Amino acid sequence: MDSVLKTPSLQTTQVGLMVYDLTADSTLYTYGHRQTLRPASTMKLLTAVTGLSLLGANYRMNTSLYYSGNVSNGTLYGNVYCVGGMDPMFDSNDMNVFVNQLRHQGIDTIKGQILSDVSFKDEDRLGEGWCWDDDNPTLSPLLVDRKDYFTERLGRELRLDGVVIIDTVFSQGVKGRTFVCTRSHSVDELLVCMMKESDNLYAEALFYQLAAKAGKFPVKGKQATAQVRRMIQKVGMEPANYKVADGSGLSLYNYVSAELEVSFLRYVWMHPQMFDTLYPKLPIAGIDGTLKGRMLRTAAEDNVHAKTGTLTGITSLAGYCTAANGHMLCFAIINQGVMRTAEGRTLIDSLCVAMCE
C-alpha cells in the first residue's frame, strides 16, 4: 500500500483511505482517513445502510389509484387520482395494471379529470447542491418510466384501451375517494440497480423514504438528512463532523471521510441479515455493474465487492474484499482533486489489488 501511494498524482490530489480487517476486528491501514472529502456515489452506501436499518429490505414504495364520485352505466362522474409515493421503479407494466383495474370497475367513460396527487414530497425537483445544468433525475413522487408525465400517460393509455375521457371540471357530490389499486416495489428490489449501476434516481427515492418514516408530509430533504445523521451517530461517529446533502452523491455539498464509510461497512458486517442483503447488490470487480471492466486479470477480480463513485474531480470506492490470508476486509478510498478520472481509477484499482494479494 505504501508503494502504491508513492504515485506522483498525490502531489496534486488528496486521498482518504482506510482498510479494516473484519476477521481480526482491527484497523489494517490508514492514510488521511479522517479528511472530509466529497464521496461522489459512495454516498449511496450511507443511504442504503440507513434505509436497511430504518426501513428494512421489505419496505415498499407505493403508487396508488383512486377515483371520486360515482360510476353509472359505465360512466364515472368524477375524477381519477394518481397518488405518488416516490417509487422510481413504476413502469409501463405497472401502468397497464392501472388501466386494467380501472376497466374492471366497469368504467368505459370518464366525465371528469385525471389528477395527480404529489403531496408526498415538497416541490423541490433538484437536490441540495446539485448543478442545475447536470444530467439530474427529476425528484417527483409520481413518475412512470422515470418521466414526469404520469397523468398524461395514464390518459393516453386509457384512450388506447377504448376509454372515453371527457375532460371537464367535476364538482364531486360524494366526499372521499374510492380505492382502485396500488403498485409497489421493495427496498430490496430498488437496491440492485441503485448499487450495481449507481442509479441516482433510485438513491434519491430511498433518501426521501427515510424522510417519510417520520410521518410528516410533504417530506423534505432536510428530514432525510436528519435520518442519515442519526445513523452516523448509531455507527459510533459524530454527525457534526460531516455534511450530508443528498442520497445519491450528486451534491457538491456532501463531505464525509473514509473512516466514516468504513464505520458504515463495519456496521453492516456486524448485522448478518443486513450484510446478506447489501453484499450481493454491490458491483463485483471484473464481473458486473460499474466495476465490470476494472481490475481484470488481477487478484481483485471477482473478489472486490464495492460501490464506485465518480464526479468531476472525484474518484472513490468503498466495499469489501478477501485478503490472501482469507480475512474479510472492508475499505473506503476517496481521491479528490483528480483531473483525469482514469488516473484516479488506476490508483484505486492498484490499492485494491494490494489488499487482495
Side-chain angles (χ1 to χ4, degrees):
M1 302 286 281
D2 286 341
S3 177
V4 173
L5 290 172
K6 288 179 181 178
T7 174
S9 69
L10 290 193
Q11 295 178 17
T12 57
T13 69
Q14 296 170 274
V15 167
L17 163 63
M18 185 171 186
V19 185
Y20 195 90
D21 189 325
L22 294 164
T23 305
D25 193 20
S26 62
T27 300
L28 192 61
Y29 192 91
T30 62
Y31 183 100
H33 63 301
R34 288 179 177 153
Q35 292 189 84
T36 49
L37 305 168
R38 288 167 54 200
S41 280
T42 56
M43 192 71 191
K44 292 181 176 71
L45 270 176
L46 276 65
T47 305
V49 174
T50 306
L52 288 173
S53 178
L54 184 67
L55 306 173
N58 295 323
Y59 175 92
R60 303 192 74 84
M61 301 158 290
N62 302 312
T63 306
S64 301
L65 189 64
Y66 296 81
Y67 68 82
S68 63
N70 297 300
V71 178
S72 177
N73 296 322
T75 298
L76 168 63
Y77 295 90
N79 301 317
V80 173
Y81 295 89
C82 309
V83 183
M86 205 76 187
D87 177 7
M89 300 181 71
F90 192 99
D91 61 13
S92 298
N93 293 327
D94 298 305
M95 184 62 77
N96 289 337
V97 172
F98 269 25
V99 171
N100 292 334
Q101 288 299 313
L102 269 176
R103 294 290 268 158
H104 288 163
Q105 303 292 317
I107 297 171
D108 56 36
T109 303
I110 298 172
K111 192 171 184 180
Q113 296 177 307
I114 300 175
L115 302 174
S116 60
D117 182 339
V118 291
S119 58
F120 177 90
K121 181 189 169 295
D122 64 16
E123 295 181 355
D124 292 342
R125 292 298 179 259
L126 292 176
E128 180 186 2
W130 287 10
C131 294
W132 65 269
D133 58 347
D134 206 347
D135 183 20
N136 298 308
T138 301
L139 300 183
S140 169
L142 191 60
L143 300 173
V144 52
D145 290 333
R146 309 175 69 93
K147 295 182 174 61
D148 187 16
Y149 69 137
F150 198 101
T151 56
E152 294 88 342
R153 175 72 176 274
L154 178 58
R156 187 184 78 187
E157 297 299 329
L158 284 168
R159 289 186 177 95
L160 288 173
D161 201 56
V163 176
V164 176
I165 301 175
I166 304 171
D167 189 2
T168 183
V169 177
F170 181 80
S171 299
Q172 64 183 65
V174 180
K175 293 183 179 180
R177 301 175 183 177
T178 300
F179 173 75
V180 178
C181 67
T182 291
R183 298 292 287 174
S184 67
H185 298 90
S186 69
V187 167
D188 188 61
E189 293 174 278
L190 175 140
L191 285 175
V192 177
C193 193
M194 172 178 160
M195 305 306 280
K196 290 283 189 186
E197 304 301 332
S198 200
D199 193 293
N200 293 318
L201 175 62
Y202 284 32
E204 293 302 328
L206 181 54
F207 188 64
Y208 282 96
Q209 298 299 334
L210 302 178
K213 184 66 174 178
K216 296 180 180 179
F217 299 92
V219 299
K220 304 177 185 297
K222 289 183 178 180
Q223 295 169 321
T225 293
Q227 299 286 21
V228 179
R229 289 172 63 83
R230 291 188 188 99
M231 191 67 203
I232 291 173
Q233 191 169 39
K234 192 172 183 178
V235 302
M237 305 299 283
E238 175 50 60
N241 293 337
Y242 311 101
K243 172 67 175 177
V244 176
D246 69 5
S248 63
L250 282 173
S251 176
L252 302 179
Y253 301 161
N254 291 313
Y255 278 93
V256 305
S257 67
E259 181 182 40
L260 178 64
E261 293 190 337
V262 163
S263 296
F264 271 69
L265 292 164
R266 288 179 60 202
Y267 182 88
V268 172
W269 172 259
M270 291 184 290
H271 295 78
Q273 186 174 2
M274 189 180 296
F275 181 83
D276 290 344
T277 299
L278 183 63
Y279 186 72
K281 312 297 193 303
L282 295 170
I284 306 170
I287 302 297
D288 65 14
T290 52
L291 283 178
K292 186 174 183 179
R294 293 173 60 178
M295 306 178 219
L296 298 171
R297 296 174 294 281
T298 70
E301 183 179 0
D302 201 15
N303 184 340
V304 168
H305 293 59
K307 182 67 199 75
T308 57
T310 306
L311 279 175
T312 300
I314 308 288
T315 55
S316 55
L317 190 69
Y320 303 92
C321 67
T322 303
N325 64 355
H327 284 208
M328 176 68 88
L329 312 179
C330 69
F331 66 90
I333 311 166
I334 305 173
N335 191 190
Q336 181 170 289
V338 181
M339 293 296 99
R340 297 177 182 84
T341 299
E343 288 184 5
R345 288 178 177 169
T346 297
L347 172 63
I348 288 175
D349 291 358
S350 297
L351 289 167
C352 287
V353 172
M355 282 184 256
C356 297
E357 287 182 335

